[in-house]
Structures are given as C-alpha cells and as structure tokens.
Amino acid sequence: MKKKRIAAALLAAALAATTLVGCGGGGDAAGGTGETAEGGSAAAAGSGEIKEFDAFFAVPGSEINDDNEIQQLIAEKTGAKVKETWLTGQTAAEAVGTMIAGGEYPDFIDGGDGTMQLYEAGALIPLDEYFDDYPNIKNYLTETQWEKLRQDDGHIYWINQFSSRNGKDMTTTHNDEAFWIQVRVLEWAGYPEIRTMDQYFDLLESYIAENPTMEDGTENIAYTILCEDWRYFCLENAPQFLDGYPNDGSVIVKDGTTIVDYNTTPTAKAYFGKLNEEFHKGIVDPESFTQTYDEYIAKLSTGRVLGMIDQWWNFAYSVNDSLKMQGLEEQGCNYVPLPITISEDVKNQWHTTGLSGDNINEASGIAITTSCEDIEGALSFINGLLDQEVLDLRNWGVEGVDYNVDENGVYYRTDEQRAQVADTAYKASHLCNYSYFPNYGGESFDGINAMKPEEQPQEFLDSLPDKVAACLEAYGCSNYVDMIGNNEIPGIWYPMYSYSNNMTTATPGGMAWTKMGEIKHQWLPQIVMAEDYDAAWDEYMVAYSECKPEDFLSEMQEELDRRLALAE
C-alpha cells in the first residue's frame, strides 16, 4: 500500500507540473528531419480549453477508461483528448461500409482495408493543404514518403502511422510474421538448430509426446492456426516465406522483376500437405478453423500452445502481459521466432530492416473525416502528439511512476514498474499510448534514449523473462531479430501489399483478388482436413483457377513495372 501511495503522489506532482516542450534537438529521421516543433499544439494547450474528438480504428483494440490519467496529462499538453473505439464483430470493409451508408463518421479514422472506400466516398479531407502550419506532421515523413501517399486528385488524405524512424534502427523485436515456438520446447530439446518446416513439426511432435500436459495438468496444444477474417494470413501466406521471399503480402517478386503467384507453387502444395499430415496426427489444433480471434488470444494466454504462425503485433502485446501476470514466464511459455524455410539451402527473409529508406505502406493510415468540425484542432492534436515530451508520456509513461532516469539521462524501469505496466487494469486506468496515431521508432530526440522501452537496449535485456534470456544466449543472440536474421529491404517496389490492399472490384484484377480471397477462405481449411489431400488439392486448384488469378497478377505486374520505372 505504501508503494501505491508513493506512486500516486508522484503522479499528482506530474499532473501539477505539466508544461509543453518541443521535440528539442535530434538526429536525422528516416521519416522526417527531427526539427523542433513550434506553435500548433502549444497554442491549443495555452488556451486552457480541452477539446474532445472521437476516432475509429478498423482493427480490434482495447479501450481505456474515460478518466485515464496519462490521457489527461496529454490533453493538458495538446489541448485535446480523443475517445478511441475499435473494430468489434465486423470486418473493416463492413464497418466502413456502414459508416458510408449513413454518411456520418468519427473525427479521426483508420479504415484499414476500407480506406480506399472512404476516399472514393468523399469522406476524407485533404491534409496536405495544412502541412505548413503543423511542422511536426510535415516533418514526420520524408518528401518521397508523402508523395507515395498522394492520390490521383493530387492530395494526401491519410498519414501512415508506423513508417517513421528517428535516427538509427534500434529494433530488438521481430514485429512481423514467423513460425513461433515456446522457449520451453527449445530448452527441452537442448536448443537445436531448427531451419525447416519438417524440423519444426518434428520437434513439436517429439515434445508433446513426452510432455502432453503443462505443470498443472492442463493439456498442451502443439500447433494452432488463426483463420478468422483478414487474419487468415496466419494460414495462407507462409509459402512466400518458405521459398525465401519477404512479405510482399499478396505475391512473390522474383528476381526483382517478375510477379509470381505463391498460392500455386510446389512449396505451397508441400506446405498445406504438411499441415494436412500434422492435422491427421493430432498435432494441429482441431479448433483452428472455427476459433475466433478472441478465443485464439485466450488460448495462447493460457500458455498451452507450443507454436503457431502469426505476426508478433497480432498476439504478443496482450499474450505476453497475460503470461507475466500468471507466472507462466517461469515455465518458458513465451515465444521466439525461428528462421524456417522449405529447405536448409533457402535463406529466409522473414525479417527486413524496418522503416528503411522511403518504403511505406501506402494503403492506409489515419485520416480526418468530413464530419470533423474542427480540422485545425484535430491537426494540432496530432502535431502535439509528436512533441518529445508527449512521445515520452505515450511510450514510457510518467517519470518516477512508470520509469526512472539515471544520472546519465538514460531511462529504465524496475521490476515492479515492468509488472505494473503489464497489468490490464493499470493499463486501462493509467497508460495511454494512442497507438494508432503517428509515432516514431528509433532514437528519442534527446539523443540518449530509444523512443520506445522495447527498443532501449538495456531495458530490453532487463525486461526479458529468464527463460527467454537463456534461450537467446544459447543461440548466441542478443534479441529476437538475431534469432530470425535480418535482411535489407529488397527493392523500391516493396511492399507490394501496399497496392493490393487498396484494390477494388472496379477492375478485373481487383475482382479476381476478391474472389481469390473468398476461395482460399473456403478451401484451405478443407484441404488441411481432407482425407485424400492430393484429390482435395486438385479440386482447390480448379476452383482457384476459376477466379482468373491471371487478371490479378497482370495488374500487379503493371504496378511492379511502374514502381521500378520510378526508380530509374
């Protein structure tokens, strides 16, 4: 109780002492210049008025309490607060379609796969006309990146929130897709080198044969698959990685010049054939094809699941906190990524250096809608969120409560603080990172710290569960990226999903793309469960070919050629 009273007193002091400061000096940013912001947010904060906006993000997320403490601190510094809501019970396209039909929108929106729908419906306001008045926003991306977000009418309507890094890359976590495995499995096997899909499943089979249950008797699940809605990438897109290609999302770019369909390659047939084999052995979770995302996350949070394919951001931020709160870290239930390909002679590209050069996902971002009655106030809020003091509040929390500062100005956390920021109730009442508003990776503008705790070298190491630290050491690695290996961005075209994500049924290629997705949703679970895999695969290929994938591939080739031509 005494510690809680001390924390409350420190927080009260922070609330009383809130003042707005600019970014300060800083290094060069991959997505901006690192210049100090002036005006905008300071003017809003100085007025004493706290404006209120609302936002909708077409992804699931957790809402914070209305009286959230850091949200109030940020409001006092920026002059505004935002009520955030998230996707529930619908696809992004369905949610966006409902808004378009009603003609009413929140002030801010990230429509995900429905972003182009919003643009075509005239629901978004052009942002580029205001940039000169909001230096933090203008400097957030490079000129080249901004140009990639410019639409056919000559304007920019959304800001990709995840494409800017200040200074050097400080990535410690593989935030992307991988074959994940619990460290307890690797520890049990003596930390073997696992390079191929066959080796991965052989290890799962061996482990679960000798360890059918957890310490408390809960039955282990060797491998599960998430297939719900757009997240079926956890099932369908592994063949591109298994063949040694990076995440272009919808296609393979062979030799940097040629579009290839990863759905029909020999590796694709081998991969789904392996899942079929493991399903009939009882290794693949029989609930894989019916479980919802919430059920999947709940299942991982029990510590029962030994392995899966997923994107780190899709599971880790909730699952890891849950494992910590239950004491399951001590049993080795955390996940690390493995460099899996179809054969040992294929080099993997699961991880590419993030935010390198001017590569950017052009397909979506945060926008301001035509329903917003205070566009300048909304832009001032975003501008203020990019001040360094506010970035610290969003990413680190309150000094003395959520982190400390040593004599050299380096931020760090105690074990108690790490446990605190992992607590669900504490996060809802206290933490506010405005995660779908623009943020930076890399270095803080103070030139000392990382922008985010997970990228602070010593904090990353100190926060690792003992079993994960032992695993990394056994493989001679210092972080998760080392575990899977790093690669440079492959080319100016990357990633191709920034084009395919915004395709609509208005073109033959877009129509084919939609049908391909529907057919894969229908058929891939069937072929994994089929008694006669070869026959089921042949039937699937017939149904797939009827979607006219050649129309989609042709349009993707045209876009690839266009991107390559721009680089000449």
Side-chain angles (χ1 to χ4, degrees):
M1 289 298 293
K2 181 179 180 181
K3 290 180 180 178
K4 289 184 178 179
R5 288 197 297 271
I6 292 172
L10 287 167
L11 178 62
L15 280 163
T18 55
T19 55
L20 184 71
V21 300
C23 290
D28 293 337
T33 63
E35 297 178 358
T36 301
E38 297 178 0
S41 57
S47 69
E49 175 192 2
I50 302 297
K51 299 179 179 181
E52 296 190 3
F53 298 96
D54 56 0
F56 172 74
F57 306 113
V59 294
S62 299
E63 294 189 20
I64 60 177
N65 296 350
D66 289 339
D67 59 352
N68 182 278
E69 294 165 336
I70 288 180
Q71 186 179 54
Q72 182 59 32
L73 283 171
I74 293 172
E76 293 178 11
K77 295 178 183 300
T78 63
K81 65 188 300 185
V82 176
K83 174 65 176 178
E84 300 173 294
T85 56
W86 307 83
L87 188 69
T88 55
Q90 291 178 298
T91 66
E94 288 170 345
V96 167
T98 300
M99 289 182 187
I100 292 172
E104 295 185 2
Y105 309 95
D107 298 304
F108 297 101
I109 193 167
D110 182 336
D113 291 346
T115 297
M116 188 54 66
Q117 287 177 261
L118 290 163
Y119 168 67
E120 292 176 345
L124 310 179
I125 65 106
L127 303 176
D128 50 306
E129 299 173 348
Y130 299 88
F131 283 172
D132 287 342
D133 295 328
Y134 302 97
N136 284 0
I137 297 175
K138 184 176 182 178
N139 296 326
Y140 178 67
L141 299 175
T142 66
E143 289 185 13
T144 302
Q145 288 175 317
W146 282 124
E147 286 305 309
K148 290 185 176 183
L149 292 169
R150 198 174 296 280
Q151 301 305 304
D152 291 341
D153 66 358
H155 290 294
I156 296 168
Y157 290 85
W158 55 84
I159 307 169
N160 186 274
Q161 315 96 307
F162 314 111
S163 296
S164 195
R165 183 187 70 227
N166 183 60
K168 66 182 180 181
D169 183 14
M170 301 186 70
T171 306
T172 55
T173 301
H174 173 63
N175 197 43
D176 306 308
E177 195 164 350
F179 278 91
W180 300 89
I181 195 166
Q182 289 186 330
V183 293
R184 61 172 167 148
V185 180
L186 297 173
E187 179 186 29
W188 171 83
Y191 302 111
E193 292 293 327
I194 304 296
R195 300 282 182 176
T196 69
M197 177 176 64
D198 288 340
Q199 293 168 353
Y200 177 82
F201 281 107
D202 286 347
L203 176 56
L204 292 181
E205 288 182 34
S206 299
Y207 181 87
I208 206 160
E210 292 196 23
N211 303 275
T213 65
M214 299 178 69
E215 292 179 4
D216 64 357
T218 301
E219 185 177 357
N220 282 321
I221 297 171
Y223 187 84
T224 196
I225 307 170
L226 176 60
C227 298
E228 186 185 33
D229 193 32
W230 56 273
R231 289 186 174 89
Y232 85 122
F233 61 77
C234 298
L235 170 65
E236 68 89 23
N237 71 359
Q240 65 182 324
F241 297 109
L242 291 172
D243 270 334
Y245 291 93
N247 188 18
D248 271 302
S250 51
V251 292
I252 283 171
V253 178
K254 185 177 181 180
D255 300 326
T257 61
T258 307
I259 294 293
V260 173
D261 187 353
Y262 65 70
N263 297 287
T264 58
T265 62
T267 293
K269 183 175 182 181
Y271 161 67
F272 289 109
K274 186 65 176 178
L275 291 183
N276 177 276
E277 174 189 334
E278 298 299 330
F279 180 83
H280 289 292
K281 288 180 179 179
I283 296 301
V284 173
D285 178 10
E287 296 178 353
S288 291
F289 307 118
T290 56
Q291 65 188 345
T292 65
Y293 174 70
D294 289 343
E295 290 168 341
Y296 166 82
I297 291 298
K299 189 175 293 183
L300 265 57
S301 297
T302 66
R304 301 173 62 200
V305 180
L306 307 182
M308 71 287 177
I309 288 179
D310 202 348
Q311 298 263 0
W312 171 268
W313 52 260
N314 195 41
F315 74 90
Y317 297 106
S318 55
V319 170
N320 285 353
D321 286 347
S322 179
L323 297 176
K324 177 186 285 289
M325 298 305 294
Q326 297 174 78
L328 292 172
E329 291 182 338
E330 288 78 8
Q331 294 184 35
C333 293
N334 295 88
Y335 297 94
V336 293
L338 293 176
I340 303 297
T341 55
I342 195 65
S343 63
E344 291 193 44
D345 61 342
V346 175
K347 182 182 183 299
N348 93 85
Q349 291 194 70
W350 289 90
H351 187 92
T352 52
T353 300
L355 313 179
S356 177
D358 289 312
N359 292 276
I360 185 173
N361 178 10
E362 307 159 31
S364 64
I366 190 161
I368 298 173
T369 74
T370 53
S371 293
C372 180
E373 297 179 355
D374 185 1
I375 295 169
E376 289 83 0
L379 286 166
S380 179
F381 174 73
I382 297 177
N383 197 70
L385 288 182
L386 295 171
D387 283 330
Q388 185 60 65
E389 188 179 13
V390 179
L391 288 165
D392 281 349
L393 283 170
R394 295 170 64 191
N395 296 323
W396 284 89
V398 175
E399 181 182 346
V401 178
D402 304 304
Y403 72 99
N404 303 315
V405 184
D406 72 12
E407 65 276 9
N408 298 313
V410 176
Y411 296 177
Y412 69 96
R413 281 174 171 161
T414 65
D415 287 340
E416 181 182 28
Q417 287 169 336
R418 293 184 196 107
Q420 189 170 253
V421 298
D423 182 75
T424 301
Y426 186 80
K427 287 190 287 187
S429 66
H430 179 72
L431 300 179
C432 175
N433 58 17
Y434 282 123
S435 60
Y436 262 68
F437 282 87
N439 203 341
Y440 284 99
E443 297 174 293
S444 167
F445 289 106
D446 67 10
I448 300 172
N449 294 288
M451 198 68 78
K452 300 176 180 179
E454 61 267 27
E455 295 188 351
Q456 187 90 319
Q458 192 59 51
E459 177 58 26
F460 169 77
L461 293 174
D462 291 345
S463 66
L464 283 177
D466 291 342
K467 295 277 189 179
V468 175
C471 178
L472 292 176
E473 182 179 0
Y475 286 102
C477 300
S478 60
N479 55 49
Y480 294 94
V481 176
D482 290 346
M483 279 290 293
I484 201 164
N486 202 359
N487 302 275
E488 288 298 318
I489 296 293
I492 190 65
W493 73 83
Y494 184 83
M496 291 303 295
Y497 65 73
S498 67
Y499 183 78
S500 57
N501 279 4
N502 271 344
M503 296 181 83
T504 70
T505 54
T507 68
M511 179 63 74
W513 176 236
T514 298
K515 290 180 178 178
M516 289 158 60
E518 292 170 351
I519 285 296
K520 286 192 285 185
H521 269 292
Q522 175 187 344
W523 274 92
L524 293 180
Q526 294 183 43
I527 64 173
V528 171
M529 295 185 290
E531 294 296 332
D532 186 339
Y533 174 73
D534 288 331
W537 177 265
D538 289 343
E539 288 183 58
Y540 164 52
M541 285 291 95
V542 170
Y544 182 80
S545 66
E546 292 174 352
C547 300
K548 296 187 176 180
E550 64 273 12
D551 290 344
F552 166 71
L553 299 172
S554 175
E555 290 185 19
M556 293 299 288
Q557 185 68 54
E558 289 177 8
E559 175 61 14
L560 173 61
D561 293 343
R562 185 190 70 82
R563 295 185 180 190
L564 292 173
L566 288 175
E568 293 178 355

